[in-house]
Amino acid sequence: MASVEAIGKPNDSGSGGLAQKSGKSMDPCESGTEQTNRGRGNTWRCPDPGCKRENQKSDQACTQCSLPSQSAQQFKKGHRGGRNNRGSRGGRGGGGGGGHYSKFHSREPKTLPKGVDPNNPIIQQFQEHARILDEKNDKYERIVKLSRDITVESKRVIFLLHRITCEDDKPAVLGEAEIKLGDIRKRLWYYVASELVNEDPYKFLRAYTGGLQEYVEALSFYHYICYDELISWEKVQEELHFQRNAHRPKDEVKDPLDPKAAQARETIPTKEQTEDEDAGDSVSVAIQEEAHPEPKSDSSGGNTNLKGSTAKKSLQVLVPKTDFVLGLADLTGEVMRQAINFIGLGNTQACFDLMEFLHAMHDGFLDVGYRHDMRREMSRKINVLNHSLQKVENACYSINVRGSEFPSKTHLADLLLNSRESHVADPTGPMGDETDGPTDCDPYL
Amino acid sequence: MANVSEVFRDYAESIEAEHEVREKVRDKLRVIETLARESSAMLQHVHQPSGFAKIADITAQAERHLVDQIRPALAELSSSVPASQFYRYYAMFNYTLMRLCHLCSLIHFLKEGQLLTRAATAQDWLQIGQSRADGFYLEVDDYLGGLIQTSNELARFAVNCVTNQDFERPVQICEFLSTLLAGFRLLNLKNDNLRKKFDSLKYDMKKVEEVVYDLSIRGLTKSPPTGALEDKGTSPNPSQGTPNAEGDDGPVKPQDG
């Protein structure tokens, strides 16, 4: 027994041990080294999804697919840093690009040229200047991008509004226009406003003045068609006053309002990419709030610019009155176009109404325009206004002249309408009115 | 259309208010402009042989002028600009601010031979803010623009130093400008005003390097400048140096005789 045991033991331990040993040395040992190596960072994994081989750090290329280790590292970096973000933010137009832009800059290490002492106080000072300038330029560019988008979208709204040919078109078209204008506010102005938090809006005014004027033009045109009156500055300013939603997580609310501009710049893009819908919701809530007729005492307070820093949760895009009036000057062009359209459609009365409106606008500009400190833009626009007015006046003149020549024109329209109405109204009943609707105002189509 | 006239009346009121502020700012600005011109005229004397001997007096005088007269005028200007609307009127006074920065940094360089930082310019010299929170403040652009004006002035001064038998100062200026140039190279400039000015800095650098080259080739500098000599070998060649040599004939002759 004992001997057997004794024999068995060493034997067992000998062979088994050997076997175990060899076994260990075959796989667990390897996996052990692999683990420890990985823990220490001595290996790198091939990023090729079809390969994924662990390689020694000393290897210059993957032992399986011979991918150079350097390119593998680059791949890793790109994967961690920009690429993901860019992918997730792709859907969101201009602002997203802006966010990426800033990221690109912050990630780029500042390399000093040869022979420059990094410890030199002057150089350090200039690095600080460079940071400030870059920050400003980046922000400016981001706002310019947004402004360009706003211009394009506002133009679309204007074209949409020109498609109104008669009263019956109005509800549908105006509804669509309102949605589009709301979209512009939520999707574009909101981001402009968050860029302007804790900034002097006049500093970046030149970046967004183009978009603003176009937007005022679209909004006032919409407002004019809706309510038959000129929009007031207070209304425009109030529309561009946003409130952040209070029930969002605290850090989300806080970060962009952080007084540290650099931090705010970093956090706004991340918020955009992760909480895009959330942000949209919060704005829509703000807009709903604004839709209530309760006037906001602080927003109507005029040109106070430090709003972002004083009022904790409200953002706004400042609308300087001059830019507002420049937008109104553009409006006159649209009104002129609409008047001419109406003549084409035979709606001559509308044309006279529009002329009256243009006269009022003209008087307004005469009163205000030729004053001191007038921008060159303004005088140019007043010139355009004069031309528009003349065009409409001539049109109205020829309506009257021709109208007297051919009295049958309107009569004919009336006759046509009446005959058709009586013709259709009988069999279809209430439907008759609707089918007649479009023809009601363009009998010549 | 009652509401149209209402809108325009509202605008007319606001434009009137803005105009008043502008008038006020313009008045204050005119005072500062005059004073700044006086100060520049004072500093011009350093280029002349008569003034060259008493640079210290001139700079002290200019500094006193700056502290006693320009600074209070600037304080008045800053109080006439609404604190939150600095940028609304910024275009009116930014050139003046640039010029004042130039004066400060030039005086400082003539006194100490060093660069005046933005913080020091704003706080100690002009006594205005450094950031938006301070209301009326010194923008980086203005400060940098002022530095470039100083470099233009120093390039001219380097030539006149040689004319006035001072062979050390051009070397000092050369080192100063090369540091300044290195600093400006760190900036990512847009294609704007500052960029154009920056280009002039390069020409100033070249000019001063040529002066130093002319001096060192004739052995007029005591110790060859360390950084400047290396740069110098690349850009100016002797043929480029010749036009300047005319100006150097003066200083060379007395050494011979």
Side-chain angles (χ1 to χ4, degrees):
Chain A
M1 269 293 271
S3 68
V4 172
E5 271 185 34
I7 293 162
K9 243 187 183 172
N11 210 9
D12 196 83
S13 71
S15 64
L18 204 79
Q20 266 185 0
K21 227 182 206 170
S22 64
K24 251 181 204 165
S25 72
M26 281 311 284
D27 23 87
C29 191
E30 203 177 68
S31 74
T33 51
E34 198 177 277
Q35 269 172 1
T36 51
N37 278 352
R38 200 188 293 169
R40 285 181 207 149
N42 286 338
T43 62
W44 55 277
R45 184 193 280 268
C46 180
D48 188 337
C51 174
K52 286 191 177 169
R53 183 172 175 88
E54 291 286 343
N55 297 290
Q56 291 297 319
K57 205 172 189 182
S58 53
D59 293 340
Q60 292 294 309
C62 178
T63 47
Q64 192 163 309
C65 67
S66 70
L67 182 88
S69 66
Q70 208 173 359
S71 55
Q73 274 161 8
Q74 278 170 4
F75 186 89
K76 233 185 241 167
K77 253 185 222 164
H79 198 71
R80 261 188 223 148
R83 216 166 281 192
N84 255 351
N85 301 339
R86 206 193 311 172
S88 65
R89 216 186 299 141
R92 230 197 46 67
H100 179 68
Y101 191 68
S102 72
K103 225 170 198 158
F104 173 75
H105 268 276
S106 63
R107 207 175 34 174
E108 191 183 46
K110 196 92 207 176
T111 47
L112 288 172
K114 248 188 176 179
V116 174
D117 177 15
N119 294 322
N120 188 329
I122 295 179
I123 297 300
Q124 284 172 351
Q125 197 205 337
F126 267 91
Q127 279 175 319
E128 173 66 9
H129 296 331
R131 193 188 59 76
I132 294 174
L133 286 179
D134 283 352
E135 214 165 85
K136 189 184 80 180
N137 291 342
D138 288 354
K139 185 168 279 224
Y140 192 89
E141 288 306 321
R142 285 199 298 273
I143 296 178
V144 166
K145 276 184 192 168
L146 286 168
S147 160
R148 218 169 286 149
D149 289 352
I150 290 168
T151 309
V152 171
E153 290 296 325
S154 303
K155 280 220 156 77
R156 284 190 186 145
V157 172
I158 291 166
F159 276 113
L160 177 71
L161 290 171
H162 274 305
R163 264 171 239 149
I164 297 179
T165 48
C166 60
E167 282 297 316
D168 291 25
D169 285 352
K170 263 190 179 178
V173 173
L174 287 178
E176 202 183 330
E178 189 175 355
I179 291 168
K180 280 198 166 185
L181 285 168
D183 261 8
I184 296 175
R185 269 200 298 281
K186 271 187 256 186
R187 281 187 33 246
L188 299 166
W189 279 122
Y190 178 76
Y191 292 105
V192 176
S194 42
E195 290 286 356
L196 289 176
V197 169
N198 289 326
E199 293 286 353
D200 188 338
Y202 283 102
K203 186 171 178 179
F204 297 100
L205 178 62
R206 276 164 55 97
Y208 72 83
T209 182
L212 181 62
Q213 285 176 30
E214 205 66 33
Y215 172 75
V216 168
E217 182 182 346
L219 188 67
S220 57
F221 193 36
Y222 165 79
H223 196 268
Y224 177 69
I225 294 173
C226 249
Y227 305 105
D228 200 25
E229 64 167 23
L230 195 59
I231 197 166
S232 68
W233 174 81
E234 282 82 5
K235 181 95 171 66
V236 177
Q237 178 64 81
E238 204 179 301
E239 295 248 319
L240 294 183
H241 186 89
F242 301 102
Q243 298 221 310
R244 263 180 224 265
N245 203 347
H247 68 249
R248 281 164 66 200
K250 261 188 181 170
D251 51 338
E252 293 288 339
V253 179
K254 253 186 174 173
D255 276 344
L257 287 168
D258 199 301
K260 289 167 203 156
Q263 200 180 334
R265 217 188 64 192
E266 280 306 302
T267 49
I268 288 171
T270 49
K271 183 215 64 182
E272 281 168 11
Q273 67 194 3
T274 54
E275 304 269 318
D276 202 4
E277 283 172 32
D278 196 347
D281 284 346
S282 76
V283 184
S284 67
V285 169
I287 287 166
Q288 275 168 14
E289 279 172 14
E290 276 169 30
H292 292 301
E294 48 176 354
K296 286 198 179 62
S297 54
D298 57 336
S299 76
S300 57
N303 296 352
T304 46
N305 306 330
L306 291 167
K307 198 136 288 175
S309 54
T310 51
K312 278 283 174 206
K313 270 190 296 177
S314 64
L315 311 170
Q316 79 161 0
V317 179
L318 178 85
V319 183
K321 287 194 175 169
T322 305
D323 293 77
F324 167 68
V325 171
L326 286 172
L328 293 186
D330 291 334
L331 167 70
T332 58
E334 300 309 324
V335 170
M336 177 272 286
R337 213 164 292 169
Q338 203 189 24
I340 303 298
N341 278 347
F342 276 147
I343 297 171
L345 298 167
N347 190 354
T348 49
Q349 185 49 46
C351 187
F352 285 106
D353 292 347
L354 290 173
M355 183 176 73
E356 194 193 332
F357 176 67
L358 279 185
H359 273 141
M361 291 285 278
H362 184 71
D363 289 349
F365 276 104
L366 274 187
D367 195 28
V368 146
Y370 298 106
R371 290 192 187 218
H372 30 251
D373 297 333
M374 192 171 57
R375 283 211 236 163
R376 204 192 304 145
E377 255 180 306
M378 183 74 101
S379 58
R380 193 172 49 82
K381 287 192 175 180
I382 289 177
N383 262 343
V384 174
L385 165 62
N386 288 340
H387 283 290
S388 308
L389 184 64
Q390 247 173 36
K391 202 165 170 181
V392 176
E393 278 173 347
N394 285 340
C396 288
Y397 160 82
S398 44
I399 287 170
N400 278 341
V401 172
R402 303 262 169 86
S404 63
E405 264 176 41
F406 305 106
S408 59
K409 189 177 179 182
T410 44
H411 282 295
L412 191 70
D414 285 344
L415 277 173
L416 267 172
L417 285 175
N418 287 338
S419 67
R420 246 191 241 172
E421 249 168 30
S422 59
H423 202 72
V424 183
D426 279 333
T428 50
M431 286 295 286
D433 288 330
E434 275 189 32
T435 48
D436 259 1
T439 54
D440 190 47
C441 43
D442 49 355
Y444 296 109
L445 272 178
Chain B
M1 289 258 167
N3 124 287
V4 174
S5 58
E6 211 171 278
V7 166
F8 279 98
R9 205 180 312 125
D10 184 44
Y11 176 60
E13 275 166 24
S14 82
I15 212 177
E16 207 61 57
E18 186 181 325
H19 181 68
E20 264 171 39
V21 177
R22 272 183 201 279
E23 279 293 301
K24 222 161 108 194
V25 170
R26 205 168 285 143
D27 284 347
K28 312 276 179 199
L29 211 55
R30 210 170 293 133
V31 177
I32 298 178
E33 287 280 0
T34 317
L35 290 172
R37 233 173 284 130
E38 282 172 25
S39 203
S40 294
M42 260 177 230
L43 287 167
Q44 285 299 307
H45 288 293
V46 298
H47 293 293
Q48 297 162 7
S50 57
F52 192 79
K54 32 181 189 175
I55 288 180
D57 290 348
I58 291 171
T59 51
Q61 191 193 356
E63 191 179 348
R64 222 175 308 122
H65 183 259
L66 195 100
V67 170
D68 295 344
Q69 302 201 33
I70 295 185
R71 205 188 273 169
L74 191 62
E76 274 194 33
L77 173 71
S78 73
S79 66
S80 66
V81 177
S84 59
Q85 301 182 15
F86 177 74
Y87 259 95
R88 188 171 185 177
Y89 306 101
Y90 175 70
M92 295 179 73
F93 51 72
N94 75 326
Y95 276 96
T96 312
L97 277 182
M98 212 180 270
R99 187 162 188 180
L100 292 183
C101 283
H102 154 61
L103 290 174
C104 294
S105 62
L106 182 63
I107 294 171
H108 187 77
F109 179 80
L110 290 175
K111 260 173 66 188
E112 315 274 340
Q114 277 173 346
L115 179 71
L116 190 64
T117 61
R118 182 165 82 101
T121 313
Q123 248 172 12
D124 307 337
W125 286 75
L126 299 177
Q127 292 191 338
I128 56 179
Q130 286 183 64
S131 68
R132 178 167 131 73
D134 304 329
F136 194 90
Y137 72 104
L138 182 60
E139 244 318 313
V140 179
D141 304 51
D142 299 338
Y143 167 70
L144 295 174
L147 288 187
I148 297 208
Q149 282 183 24
T150 301
S151 96
N152 300 348
E153 198 69 25
L154 286 179
R156 192 181 146 214
F157 185 54
V159 173
N160 288 326
C161 280
V162 176
T163 318
N164 292 307
Q165 303 274 336
D166 185 343
F167 304 137
E168 291 308 308
R169 222 182 259 268
V171 179
Q172 187 198 4
I173 290 173
C174 183
E175 275 169 8
F176 175 75
L177 285 191
S178 68
T179 324
L180 201 61
L181 190 66
F184 269 95
R185 287 235 162 96
L186 295 179
L187 309 175
N188 299 319
L189 293 175
K190 288 206 307 181
N191 204 5
D192 58 0
N193 262 339
L194 198 55
R195 168 71 187 268
K196 276 178 218 148
K197 289 195 179 119
F198 169 58
D199 290 342
S200 78
L201 174 58
K202 292 182 210 159
Y203 287 105
D204 294 336
M205 184 77 232
K206 184 167 177 280
K207 197 170 172 188
V208 176
E209 276 174 351
E210 279 171 12
V211 171
V212 173
Y213 173 81
D214 285 338
L215 289 177
S216 57
I217 206 170
R218 290 171 177 78
L220 293 174
T221 50
K222 275 177 196 160
S223 54
T226 47
L229 258 181
E230 289 163 18
D231 291 357
K232 214 163 35 64
T234 56
S235 57
N237 49 39
S239 64
Q240 271 180 317
T242 37
N244 264 29
E246 296 160 19
D248 298 339
D249 280 349
V252 174
K253 273 173 195 166
Q255 277 244 334
D256 292 344

